[in-house]
Amino acid sequence: MTGKTRSPVLQVKGLSVSYLRDHEATQAVDDISFSIDQGQLLALVGESGSGKTTVAQSVIGLLPGNGRIDSGEILLNGVDISRWNWRRLQTVRGRRIGLVPQDPAASLNPVRTIGANLGEVLRIHTRVRGSELRRQVVELLARVGIDDPERRARQYPHELSGGMRQRVLIASAIALRPDLIIADEPTSALDVTVQKVILDLLDDLRREYGTAILFVTHDLAIAAERSTEVVVLRDGRVQEHASTAEVLSNPRTEYARTLLRDAPALAGRAAPLPPAADLAAIALRADSLVQTFALGRKRDEFRAVDDVSFAVPAGTTHALVGESGSGKTTSARIVVGFRRPTSGRVEIDGIDLASLRGEALRQARRTVQLVYQNPYGSLDPRRSVEEIVTEPLRNFGLGDRRSRLAKAGDLIERVALPASVLGRRPHELSGGQRQRVAIARALVLEPRVVVFDEAVSALDVTVQAQVLRLLEDLQRDLGLTYLFVSHDLSVVRHIAHTVSVMRRGRVVEEGPTESVFGTPVHEYTRTLIDAIPRPSERVS
Amino acid sequence: MTAQAVTVGDEIRRPTAIVRRLRRVSPALVLAWLAVAVVVAWALVPWLFSAADPTIGVSGQRLQAPSIQHLFGTDQLGRDVLDRVIYGSRFSLVGALVAVGVGLVAGTALGVLAGTLSRAVDDVIMRIVDVLLAIPSLLLSLSIITLLGFGTVNVSIAVGITSIAMFARLTRSQVVKVRHTDYVEAAVGSGGHFLGVLWRHVLPNSMGPVVALSALQFGSAILQIATLGFLGFGAPPPTPEWGLMVSEGRNYIATSWWLTTLPGAIVVVVVLSTHRVSRSLGREKRG
C-alpha cells in the first residue's frame, strides 16, 4: 500500500433490517457491524435465511419493497449512505460500488449483445460514446480473460457459457473501477473448475486495483480459501467475526465449529472402505452405455454418453463425477430406466433393465429408485407426506392400508423426521425435511439400488452433512447400494467408495475414491481436484 | 363492536387472521357472489320469490311500466316480467351448466390426451382444435343446432361444443407443464401405472386454471344461450327464457323499454358477476 488513507472503504455499524409481511415486521438482520479496508476481501458466511444477502442488498440500497433499515449506518468512504434515496444512490451504484450477482443466466439482457450489456454501465455514468465506448468494452472483456473479445462483444448472452457470462458481469462491475465490489454467491451456479477461474480473477482485480470485496457465500471453504476476514451470520446475528486464519484454527462459537465440521471440503476423507467390498456380489453393472441425440435434421449425432461402464458391489457407493454436460445425469437416468440407451446394458441383480418395456419395466422399478436434486419439485404439492411415502406400495399392491401406514411411519422415523410430518404437505416442510421425505419414498419399496442425482447440492452445508450421515447409516443398516451423481468433489470424496470421473460423455478415470483423489492419473481429474477450495494452501 | 374496539386498543393494531382476511376481500367480489347466489336461488326455488305462473298473463294488466306491484313491469300478455326472469333463470343456468359441462369434459379429455400421448396424436388433436377456434363461435353453434334440431338442451350442447377448443388448449398446456415435473416422473419411477399417475398427480395439479376458465365460461355461456334464444333457436314461446324475452320485447321497444332492458340487465349482471368470481378463483389458485 502506498501512503493513501487507511480509512475503511465500507463500514457497517449496528445495521438492523426488518421485512414487513402481513402487517408484521420480521427482523432479518440484527445489529451487524463490520468494515472492509482497501484491497481486502471480507466473506459474509451463512446458511439460507441467515440474512447475508439482506446485508449485501442494504449496502447497495436494493432491499425488496417490504424491507426497511431500522437502524445503523452504512459508511462508504466515511459517508453514511444508509438514508439516501434511490436517485442519490444511483450516483454511487456502478461508479463506487459494483455488484456481481448470483445468477449469470438471468442477469444479462437476453435481447442485447454482450457489448451493449456491458456498455450500458459506461453510458450511464460517463460521456464515453461511439468507437471509444466500443474500445473500452473490448478492453474490459479482455481484462476479465475472455478470448476473442471483439467477436464476443457482438454475440448475445445465450451464446456464452455460464462462466463467461459471469466474467462479463464482473467486467461490468469493475468497468468504473469502483472502491467496493459486492459479490453475492457469484460462483454457486458454476462448475468447480470455472468457479476457481472466477475466484482467481476476483483475487487478481483486488490486488491490481486495491478494490475491497464484500463476498457473500454459503460455502465456508471458499471463504476460508479467499478471504482475509470472515463474518459468520446466523438468524441475522453475527456469530463470529475474526480474521480467517483465526476462525479456521480457533472457532469460538459452537455454530462456527458445526459449519467447519460440516463443510465437506474442510472435513476431508471420512467414508472408510467397507470390509471386503471386492468380495461382495455386484449389485449394479452398467455395460458400455451409449446415448446419442440427433443434432438438427442432419445425420450428425451428439454422443451424450459414450461407452460408459461401471460396476458397483452390493452395499457400497459409486459416484459419477463431472461438470455440467459430462453425461453423468443422462447415465443416471438410463440406470433407473427413464431413458433407453442407444446401446449397452444396465444389470441390476442380473436383469437387464435397458431391454425391458411396459409391465416388466414397471416391475423392475422396484429394484432401483431415484432421489432428485430439487426437493421442491420432486414431491407432489397436493399430497400429504403420508400419501407420498405410501404411494409406491399402493402402486405395487403391497400390504393393506394399515400395514402401509405402519411402514410409512417406520421410514419417516428412520429418516429422522417426527411422526407429525405424516399429515403435512410438502410446502410446510423445509428443504432438508423434504429431501428426507424423498429418501423415505425411495426406500419404501426396499430397492437394491438407490440413485442420487445431485441429491444434496441444493441443501445448506449443515443440512447436507446431516443427510449424508443419514445416507451412510441407512446404507450400513439396510445394505443398500448407492449410485451418487454429483459435481461436488468434496461431497463425493466424503461418501463414495469408488468413483468414475466423466468428461464429455466418457469416463476418463475410475477406481477407489482414495486412489483417484490421492494419485489422480488423468489430467482432467487433477484439474477438478485442484479446483476444490483448500484453505491450507492459500496464497496470501 | 365499535365501543369494544376502542377500548381494546391492542386488537386494532394487531388484527386477527380472520379480520385481516376479511379486509382483503373486495366489496365487488362480495356483490358478485351475492348476485350469483340470488340467481342460483331463483333457479332452484323460484316459487319462493314469486307466486304467479310466469306463462299465464292477466289480460287487464298489459304493458304496465315498472311499479311497486310489478317491479319489472308487465309484457304484452300481462305477464309479470320479474316472475318470468325468475323462472327463466332455471333455463339459463341449467343451459349454461350443460354447456360448461360439455366443454369441460370434452375439452379436458382432448387436452389430456394431446398432452400425454404421442406427438402424432397431439398434432392431430391440436390441429382439429385450431380449426374449431378458427370458426366464429356463433356460426359454429348455429350449424350444430341445425344438425341437432331446436330446443334448450340442444342449444346448450351447441354452446358447449364451441368452448371445447379453449378448454382443450388450456388443459394441454397445463398437462404438458405438469407432466415434466420431477414428482410425476418420480411417481412413474415408483411403479405407478400410466392412468394412475395421470389421475393422482397430473390432473389435480393442472386443473387450477381450468376451473377458473369454467367459471368464466359459465358467464359467456349464459350470454351465448341468450343470444341463440334471441335469434329464435332456443326454447319456443311461451318459455320464459331470457334471450327469448329480450327478443319478444323488441317489438315494443319504442313504448315499453322495460321488456328488453331489464332482462338484458340481469344477463349483464350475471355474466359480470361470474367473471369477477372466476378471476378471484384464478388468483387464489396462483397465490
Side-chain angles (χ1 to χ4, degrees):
Chain A
M1 294 283 143
T2 47
K4 274 187 161 184
T5 50
R6 296 285 299 161
S7 81
V9 174
L10 176 75
Q11 217 174 342
V12 173
K13 286 186 191 165
L15 180 70
S16 294
V17 182
S18 59
Y19 288 109
L20 206 62
R21 212 167 281 137
D22 286 340
H23 304 280
E24 275 178 51
T26 333
Q27 189 93 8
V29 168
D30 188 5
D31 192 21
I32 285 179
S33 306
F34 59 85
S35 66
I36 314 175
D37 288 334
Q38 211 183 24
Q40 300 283 306
L41 190 150
L42 180 131
L44 214 51
V45 184
E47 310 199 313
S48 41
S50 63
K52 55 186 194 302
T53 296
T54 303
V55 172
Q57 287 170 338
S58 321
V59 169
I60 199 164
L62 287 177
L63 278 176
N66 60 341
R68 190 181 64 203
I69 297 178
D70 295 324
S71 61
E73 292 175 12
I74 298 167
L75 304 172
L76 185 68
N77 291 320
V79 183
D80 185 8
I81 60 168
S82 66
R83 299 279 178 265
W84 284 14
N85 61 21
W86 187 266
R87 248 186 121 79
R88 213 159 158 212
L89 278 167
Q90 290 289 32
T91 60
V92 295
R93 288 185 195 139
R95 185 179 280 277
R96 311 278 294 280
I97 307 177
L99 177 72
V100 182
Q102 173 169 11
D103 186 359
S107 305
L108 289 167
N109 186 344
V111 298
R112 306 194 66 191
T113 60
I114 293 297
N117 268 299
L118 188 50
E120 198 173 345
V121 64
L122 295 169
R123 274 174 183 284
I124 291 170
H125 290 286
T126 67
R127 296 186 178 282
V128 176
R129 295 290 182 273
S131 59
E132 172 63 14
L133 182 76
R134 276 195 292 281
R135 193 189 62 74
Q136 288 199 12
V137 163
V138 169
E139 211 167 77
L140 276 168
L141 287 175
R143 177 63 198 87
V144 293
I146 286 180
D147 52 340
D148 202 355
E150 289 181 23
R151 187 169 62 91
R152 295 294 182 194
R154 286 193 302 273
Q155 287 183 323
Y156 286 87
H158 68 90
E159 297 174 79
L160 271 61
S161 69
M164 274 207 265
R165 275 181 263 185
Q166 195 59 288
R167 286 185 208 215
V168 172
L169 289 166
I170 291 177
S172 112
I174 62 164
L176 297 164
R177 304 269 175 94
D179 308 320
L180 173 71
I181 288 180
I182 297 175
D184 187 359
E185 303 259 11
T187 58
S188 51
L190 304 175
D191 280 328
V192 268
T193 51
V194 186
Q195 166 176 300
K196 183 175 157 63
V197 174
I198 296 289
L199 292 175
D200 287 346
L201 172 63
L202 280 174
D203 264 354
D204 287 352
L205 295 170
R206 178 165 67 92
R207 237 168 279 145
E208 191 177 330
Y209 301 143
T211 317
I213 300 181
L214 174 61
F215 195 93
V216 178
T217 181
H218 67 280
D219 191 338
L220 192 60
I222 293 180
E225 187 189 42
R226 304 284 171 165
S227 67
T228 42
E229 209 173 316
V230 176
V231 175
V232 179
L233 289 183
R234 187 191 196 184
D235 298 333
R237 291 203 182 78
V238 175
Q239 289 285 316
E240 189 123 355
H241 180 186
S243 75
T244 309
E246 208 176 310
V247 171
L248 282 182
S249 59
N250 186 20
R252 270 168 300 164
T253 55
E254 184 56 38
Y255 182 64
R257 271 192 289 276
T258 314
L259 275 185
L260 274 177
R261 195 184 60 228
D262 290 343
L266 303 175
R269 176 83 193 102
L273 268 167
D278 45 351
L279 299 177
I282 300 293
L284 166 67
R285 185 193 296 280
D287 206 7
S288 343
L289 294 179
V290 176
Q291 178 76 56
T292 59
F293 294 103
L295 280 182
R297 279 159 203 265
K298 296 176 199 155
R299 292 230 191 93
D300 299 351
E301 50 175 32
F302 168 64
R303 291 173 91 82
V305 175
D306 193 359
D307 196 21
V308 168
S309 305
F310 52 83
V312 192
T316 69
T317 302
H318 182 75
L320 294 179
V321 186
E323 308 198 302
S324 39
S326 61
K328 58 188 193 305
T329 293
T330 311
S331 308
R333 294 177 59 78
I334 293 173
V335 168
V336 291
F338 281 141
R339 181 169 279 292
R340 187 176 299 279
T342 313
S343 68
R345 290 165 60 83
V346 176
E347 261 180 40
I348 293 172
D349 281 346
I351 298 169
D352 181 12
L353 210 65
S355 69
L356 299 178
R357 279 172 188 280
E359 182 59 20
L361 176 62
R362 196 180 79 85
Q363 289 298 338
R365 290 195 196 282
R366 277 179 71 168
T367 58
V368 55
Q369 287 290 306
L370 176 66
V371 177
Y372 292 81
Q373 168 171 17
N374 182 1
Y376 291 85
S378 60
L379 305 176
D380 187 339
R382 288 174 168 267
R383 302 276 148 186
S384 70
V385 169
E386 184 186 297
E387 286 173 302
I388 289 168
V389 178
T390 53
E391 182 172 337
L393 296 172
R394 276 180 55 180
N395 288 338
F396 288 104
L398 301 172
D400 56 7
R401 210 181 126 69
R402 193 181 303 163
S403 71
R404 286 200 289 257
L405 280 185
K407 181 135 196 191
D410 280 355
L411 270 163
I412 286 297
E413 200 184 313
R414 274 229 70 108
V415 297
L417 285 174
S420 60
V421 301
L422 280 169
R424 303 226 195 118
R425 282 170 200 241
H427 68 89
E428 298 172 73
L429 308 179
S430 70
Q433 287 177 318
R434 289 183 207 211
Q435 199 60 303
R436 285 164 197 264
V437 172
I439 291 168
R441 170 178 63 189
L443 295 182
V444 77
L445 287 171
E446 295 168 13
R448 286 273 288 167
V449 177
V450 184
V451 179
F452 296 90
D453 186 6
E454 302 272 9
V456 295
S457 322
L459 306 175
D460 275 331
V461 271
T462 49
V463 181
Q464 186 178 62
Q466 289 163 7
V467 171
L468 287 175
R469 275 194 290 274
L470 170 70
L471 293 184
E472 282 168 354
D473 291 348
L474 290 170
Q475 179 165 57
R476 202 178 44 242
D477 297 351
L478 307 174
L480 294 166
T481 308
Y482 292 159
L483 179 64
F484 200 89
V485 176
S486 181
H487 71 281
D488 190 335
L489 279 95
S490 0
V491 169
V492 165
R493 186 171 55 175
H494 191 79
I495 193 167
H497 304 109
T498 52
V499 60
S500 296
V501 181
M502 290 185 69
R503 186 191 197 191
R504 293 185 195 145
R506 290 182 154 271
V507 174
V508 295
E509 185 159 359
E510 60 189 326
T513 313
E514 203 66 63
S515 63
V516 169
F517 278 78
T519 51
V521 179
H522 196 275
E523 189 192 339
Y524 179 67
T525 317
R526 274 200 290 273
T527 319
L528 278 181
I529 292 170
D530 286 345
I532 303 177
R534 220 159 311 188
S536 50
E537 294 167 20
R538 18 192 321 230
V539 273
S540 50
Chain B
M1 177 65 211
T2 45
Q4 198 184 358
V6 170
T7 49
V8 191
D10 246 36
E11 278 183 15
I12 298 177
R13 257 177 261 123
R14 312 191 69 200
T16 60
I18 299 166
V19 174
R20 233 182 290 141
R21 246 192 108 100
L22 278 180
R23 266 188 207 165
R24 251 183 274 146
V25 173
S26 76
L29 184 58
V30 174
L31 283 180
W33 272 111
L34 204 67
V36 172
V38 166
V39 173
V40 169
W42 281 355
L44 291 176
V45 283
W47 50 87
L48 288 185
F49 296 90
S50 82
D53 188 320
T55 52
I56 298 170
V58 180
S59 51
Q61 300 180 336
R62 274 190 242 165
L63 295 174
Q64 289 187 350
S67 63
I68 298 295
Q69 206 185 351
H70 301 289
L71 282 177
F72 279 22
T74 60
D75 67 2
Q76 70 280 9
L77 298 176
R79 298 174 295 199
D80 184 284
V81 175
L82 180 60
D83 286 345
R84 286 176 62 74
V85 168
I86 289 171
Y87 278 91
S89 61
R90 174 172 289 185
F91 295 98
S92 294
L93 291 200
V94 171
L97 267 182
V98 172
V100 171
V102 168
L104 181 69
V105 172
T108 308
L110 282 179
V112 169
L113 287 180
T116 48
L117 296 181
S118 69
R119 180 77 182 270
V121 176
D122 185 15
D123 280 346
V124 169
I125 292 179
M126 291 327 282
R127 290 305 78 76
I128 293 174
V129 163
D130 284 345
V131 170
L132 276 178
L133 280 174
I135 306 172
S137 59
L138 189 62
L139 185 64
L140 184 60
S141 44
L142 286 180
S143 349
I144 295 166
I145 293 170
T146 28
L147 285 176
L148 297 176
F150 293 62
T152 336
V153 177
N154 289 351
V155 166
S156 314
I157 293 174
V159 169
I161 288 175
T162 61
S163 67
I164 287 178
M166 238 200 297
F167 277 108
R169 279 234 145 155
L170 183 67
T171 308
R172 177 182 172 276
S173 73
Q174 288 296 313
V175 166
V176 166
K177 204 169 76 188
V178 172
R179 201 171 63 112
H180 291 114
T181 55
D182 284 347
Y183 59 83
V184 168
E185 195 184 77
V188 174
S190 63
H193 292 276
F194 176 74
L195 286 175
V197 173
L198 206 61
W199 182 249
R200 271 208 298 277
H201 301 285
V202 178
L203 266 185
N205 283 295
S206 35
M207 288 314 277
V210 180
V211 168
L213 177 69
S214 21
L216 189 65
Q217 272 301 314
F218 192 79
S220 59
I222 290 176
L223 200 60
Q224 272 183 283
I225 289 170
T227 307
L228 291 168
F230 178 84
L231 293 175
F233 287 87
T239 318
E241 201 274 324
W242 291 350
L244 189 62
M245 287 171 66
V246 175
S247 167
E248 286 173 346
R250 226 174 6 153
N251 300 331
Y252 305 90
I253 196 155
T255 51
S256 315
W257 56 271
W258 56 91
L259 290 183
T260 47
T261 311
L262 295 178
I266 293 294
V267 173
V268 170
V269 167
V270 172
V271 171
L272 287 180
S273 301
T274 50
H275 189 186
R276 182 70 192 81
V277 168
S278 88
R279 263 180 55 204
S280 79
L281 285 179
R283 190 166 311 142
E284 263 170 40
K285 283 283 160 359
R286 257 176 276 134

